[in-house]
Amino acid sequence: MSVWDDLVGQERVSAQLEAAARDADALVTAVAADAPLPEASKMTHAWLFTGPPGAGRTQAARAFAAALQCVSPDRALGGAPGCGFCDGCHTALIGTHADVSTVAAVGTQILADDMRDTVRKSFTSPANGRWQVILVEDAERLNEKSANAVLKAVEEPAPRTVWLLCAPSIEDVLPTIRSRCRHLNLSTPSVAAVTDMLIRREGIDPEVAAAAARATQGHVDRARRLATDPAARERRAAVLKLPLRVADVGGALKAAQELVDAAAEDAKQLAEEMDGKETEELKAALGAQGGRLPRGTAGVIKDLEDKQKRRRTRTQRDSLDLALTDLTAFYRDVLALQLGSRVALANTDAEDALERIARESSPESTLRRIEAIAACRDALDRNVAPLLAVEAMTMALRAG
């Protein structure tokens, strides 16, 4: 199973990356053998992966990173890098390769402090692997200072350093950065392609796989989670009942509170899993004994606590954003019924509710409700208190 098998419905992008990985492998091999360098190459030092949520931007970048680090002996026989089994591929895919550094936004932004060590590392030679790979998962969240640090590193990279930047669209990245990157745009996979992946890779029952792929409209990660996690299905079912619960003011406010509470619980569960382990590992690294920290290390612990707080905030807002995505899909289906569209419904499991809302409202009110959900997402991006933003939305849904 090659690393490209994880790129669902992205055959064109897979072919481009595989060709670049071949040329990258030939380049490293030539340098190691002191042989003449290839005259033409599809490899470059910086790549920008864009595409809608769920298209697999990060998966594509990580698969490429694995192919660049591939050490399979089959390469000498003409095989393409990216076997998926060798130590280079395996460690790059699971995130433990010493020469593959990943940067993701902990809060709403990637701060300069988050990038400092990574940028410094980008100017060094690979320690064990064939390339020094820097993967930035949320390039659209770079703030001014961190973006300028990345720009300087991308302008004058080390000979065997590769930057892989991921963002929803090319406009989300500074023009000065994107002009120095090779751009690859991923498209939303078809429902059929996601269904096939769930059946073939996850062993999901065909009916369950089809329902999950249809409900998430080609979002690969969400479809996988919906098909394999009963709790995720329960949360989605609760969200799809919300449009029927906002008939009065009390119901609208209660629905908003429950939505925010559910997102906060998700953040709390993640924090319980990660925060304690991180804190203990850091204390051990600092040499704490008997619960007492060495002198001068309190600031390091405080920095970790601040990072964990930002991560909890982002996790809560990501969970809310997921619920808002499901709500948007619900009202899209309502609008399709009202307009008599032949577009396949995403939420067939809530068809009774869809038909009821469609009968009791107009297409104009449905569009206003979709706009209210979009306004809530914008408010959350501007750091409006989640409960205030969601209450404003549920009241707007009630008004229609």
Side-chain angles (χ1 to χ4, degrees):
M1 180 183 70
S2 78
V3 297
W4 314 115
D5 290 344
D6 284 334
L7 307 190
V8 181
Q10 309 295 346
E11 289 77 12
R12 176 184 57 82
V13 170
S14 297
Q16 289 179 272
L17 292 175
E18 184 175 336
R22 283 182 180 272
D23 286 352
D25 182 63
L27 177 64
V28 173
T29 302
V31 170
D34 199 22
L37 299 179
E39 293 184 2
S41 175
K42 298 181 177 63
M43 182 60 184
T44 188
H45 71 284
W47 298 75
L48 175 58
F49 297 80
T50 64
R57 302 185 300 261
T58 302
Q59 288 87 341
R62 191 164 293 282
F64 187 40
L68 293 177
Q69 306 292 14
C70 183
V71 292
S72 169
D74 292 342
R75 294 175 298 110
L77 303 176
C83 66
F85 294 103
C86 70
D87 184 65
C89 285
H90 177 68
T91 54
L93 290 174
I94 66 174
T96 59
H97 197 291
D99 294 315
V100 179
S101 301
T102 302
V103 179
V106 176
T108 57
Q109 295 182 330
I110 298 178
L111 306 179
D113 287 345
D114 300 329
M115 289 298 307
R116 185 175 294 112
D117 290 340
T118 303
V119 168
R120 187 181 300 115
K121 185 177 179 181
S122 73
F123 291 107
T124 65
S125 299
N128 301 310
R130 301 169 68 78
W131 293 87
Q132 187 73 262
V133 181
I134 311 296
L135 169 56
V136 182
E137 292 186 357
D138 309 291
E140 76 279 9
R141 295 179 185 265
L142 291 164
N143 65 15
E144 183 179 358
K145 289 184 178 179
S146 57
N148 287 334
V150 170
L151 174 60
K152 292 177 182 178
V154 171
E155 281 180 325
E156 300 176 1
R160 284 166 58 187
T161 293
V162 182
W163 283 84
L164 309 178
L165 309 179
C166 303
S169 70
I170 194 169
E171 289 78 16
D172 290 318
V173 180
L174 283 178
T176 47
I177 293 179
R178 69 190 189 219
S179 65
R180 290 164 172 79
C181 299
R182 183 167 300 168
H183 178 217
L184 292 177
N185 186 48
L186 284 73
S187 58
T188 300
S190 68
V191 171
V194 177
T195 301
D196 177 69
M197 180 275 295
L198 291 174
I199 296 171
R200 181 169 42 85
R201 299 288 302 277
E202 306 293 338
I204 304 298
D205 177 81
E207 289 189 9
V208 175
R214 186 169 55 249
T216 55
Q217 292 295 288
H219 194 299
V220 178
D221 288 339
R222 289 185 57 212
R224 182 183 287 111
R225 185 177 181 186
L226 202 60
T228 58
D229 185 0
R233 292 195 289 272
E234 290 176 7
R235 282 194 292 272
R236 175 176 170 273
V239 170
L240 296 184
K241 291 177 182 177
L242 186 146
L244 299 176
R245 300 176 56 204
V246 296
D248 57 77
V249 173
L253 296 179
K254 183 178 180 182
Q257 184 68 63
E258 291 177 358
L259 203 59
V260 172
D261 287 346
E265 183 62 27
D266 280 349
K268 180 181 177 183
Q269 289 179 0
L270 179 64
E272 289 175 349
E273 294 173 5
M274 301 182 66
D275 291 2
K277 181 180 178 181
E278 280 183 345
T279 302
E280 291 305 316
E281 288 178 349
L282 180 58
K283 287 182 176 179
L286 294 174
Q289 295 180 353
R292 297 183 61 182
L293 291 168
R295 182 176 300 176
T297 60
V300 179
I301 296 295
K302 180 65 167 58
D303 289 343
L304 177 62
E305 291 173 348
D306 290 342
K307 175 182 176 182
Q308 291 170 344
K309 183 178 179 180
R310 285 187 284 136
R311 183 170 61 203
R312 283 194 295 273
T313 300
R314 183 183 175 187
T315 301
Q316 180 179 6
R317 298 193 178 190
D318 285 349
S319 181
L320 279 174
D321 190 69
L322 186 60
L324 298 180
T325 299
D326 288 332
L327 270 181
T328 303
F330 179 94
Y331 284 111
R332 165 203 172 271
D333 284 349
V334 170
L335 188 63
L337 289 174
Q338 291 172 328
L339 299 179
S341 171
R342 295 185 179 183
V343 175
L345 298 181
N347 301 287
T348 54
D349 51 339
E351 197 162 353
D352 290 345
L354 293 171
E355 292 177 352
R356 176 178 166 182
I357 299 293
R359 286 194 307 269
E360 296 175 353
S361 62
S362 66
E364 291 78 13
S365 66
T366 302
L367 286 173
R368 286 194 293 271
R369 284 165 169 155
I370 292 174
E371 289 172 356
I373 299 170
C376 181
R377 299 175 90 159
D378 289 341
L380 292 172
D381 283 342
R382 297 195 306 272
N383 289 325
V384 173
L387 184 58
L388 289 177
V390 177
E391 283 181 344
M393 179 195 72
T394 55
M395 294 299 289
L397 295 180
R398 173 182 175 272

